[in-house]
Amino acid sequence: RKEVEQDPGPFNVPEGATVAFNCTYSNSASQSFFWYRQDCRKEPKLLMSVYSSGNEDGRFTAQLNRASQYISLLIRDSKLSDSATYLCVVILTPGYSSASKIIFGSGTRLSIRP
Amino acid sequence: DGGITQSPKYLFRKEGQNVTLSCEQNLNHDAMYWYRQDPGQGLRLIYYSQIVNDFQKGDIAEGYSVSREKKESFPLTVTSAQKNPTAFYLCASSIDPMRGTEAFFGQGTRLTVV
C-alpha cells in the first residue's frame, strides 16, 4: 500500500465551481501535512499547511482528520488560474534520531474550463 | 537571494554513462531531498539527508548515489545501473522537517538518456 494516496483525477470543472481533493496516509506516526501545487513542467510550490483545526486561506480550505488519516483540500469559486496538479504531502519521522521523510502523493490534476 | 539551485536544467546522457546532478542551497537548511518525477506521476523519494555526512535511501534508491560533504550541497549521481533514468529530477530542502517546516524546491533537472 502506498504511504500517501490521492485520486489521480483529472478533475475537469467549470469556472466558479467548488472542487474537493482527498488524500489518505497509511502511517499514523505522520506528523505534518501540506498541500502543494505543481504547474506543468515546473517545481512544486507550497499551497498551504494542514492542521487538525482546519485552516483557510481565501478560497482554499484544508482539513486534517488524524483519526481517519485523511487530508482534504477545498477550492471554492475556482478560477482558470487554479488549473494545476495538487499534491498531498506528509512528513514522517520514524524515530527520535531518524531523519524525516517528506512523502508526496501522486497528485490530482485539475482543469478549470471557462 | 536565498534559494535552491539545480544544475543543469537539461541534461543528455548516453546509455552506460554516469552523470551527476548538482543541488546547492544557501538557505542554511539542514535537510535535503532528491525526488524523481515521471510524466503524469507524483514525486518518488530517491535519497534524503538530515545532516552533513549522513543520508538515507528513499523508496527508489537503486541505481543512484549521493554525498553530503557540505551542508549546502547534495549532489545526485545517476549511475549506469539505473535502467530507466530518463525523468525530471527535483531537489528540495527543509529547515527542520521534524518540526513540520515545509520543503522548498529547486527548478529541477530534466535528464534524457539518448
Side-chain angles (χ1 to χ4, degrees):
Chain A
R1 183 185 170 188
K2 286 184 181 178
E3 290 177 291
V4 179
E5 298 216 46
Q6 282 184 258
D7 182 339
F11 290 11
N12 188 323
V13 302
E15 204 172 357
T18 296
V19 187
F21 301 123
N22 302 315
C23 173
T24 57
Y25 60 95
S26 59
N27 194 321
S28 59
S30 300
Q31 297 169 283
S32 304
F33 309 89
F34 304 92
W35 284 100
Y36 275 70
R37 169 191 169 130
Q38 186 176 26
D39 293 293
C40 189
R41 301 180 71 82
K42 299 282 191 181
E43 75 275 20
K45 293 191 177 174
L46 178 68
L47 180 65
M48 60 197 305
S49 304
V50 188
Y51 307 113
S52 297
S53 54
N55 50 310
E56 190 172 313
D57 183 3
R59 298 181 291 109
F60 299 83
T61 301
Q63 190 77 49
L64 165 65
N65 184 324
R66 284 191 183 271
S68 302
Q69 296 182 194
Y70 171 93
I71 306 160
S72 64
L73 175 69
L74 188 74
I75 305 176
R76 292 181 298 279
D77 188 24
S78 53
K79 312 291 184 193
L80 294 175
S81 58
D82 294 333
S83 296
T85 296
Y86 290 82
L87 299 158
C88 171
V89 179
V90 170
I91 295 182
L92 174 63
T93 304
Y96 180 76
S97 60
S98 301
S100 297
K101 292 173 69 172
I102 301 179
I103 304 166
F104 284 75
S106 55
T108 302
R109 195 152 47 128
L110 174 65
S111 291
I112 307 296
R113 61 180 188 269
Chain B
D1 285 339
I4 303 177
T5 303
Q6 286 188 245
S7 61
K9 192 170 181 180
Y10 297 95
L11 187 57
F12 296 88
R13 186 194 97 174
K14 289 185 179 178
E15 247 182 274
Q17 286 182 338
N18 291 358
V19 64
T20 297
L21 282 57
S22 169
C23 178
E24 303 279 331
Q25 53 98 0
N26 60 5
L27 300 167
N28 199 34
H29 286 178
D30 287 316
M32 295 187 75
Y33 302 81
W34 273 106
Y35 294 90
R36 168 185 173 138
Q37 187 173 37
D38 293 283
Q41 298 191 31
L43 281 68
R44 291 185 290 166
L45 183 62
I46 305 173
Y47 268 97
Y48 58 112
S49 168
Q50 188 78 44
I51 56 172
V52 173
N53 293 323
D54 188 43
F55 47 82
Q56 287 74 39
K57 292 182 178 180
D59 301 317
I60 56 164
E62 187 175 349
Y64 300 97
S65 66
V66 293
S67 63
R68 188 85 188 275
E69 297 176 2
K70 297 186 297 181
K71 187 176 185 177
E72 312 81 62
S73 179
F74 192 40
L76 174 75
T77 297
V78 184
T79 75
S80 56
Q82 170 51 238
K83 296 305 177 192
N84 186 20
T86 294
F88 185 38
Y89 290 88
L90 286 155
C91 179
S93 72
S94 178
I95 190 167
D96 190 355
M98 284 185 68
R99 295 190 179 183
T101 58
E102 71 268 26
F104 294 86
F105 282 86
Q107 292 189 315
T109 294
R110 293 193 181 276
L111 173 64
T112 303
V113 173
V114 297

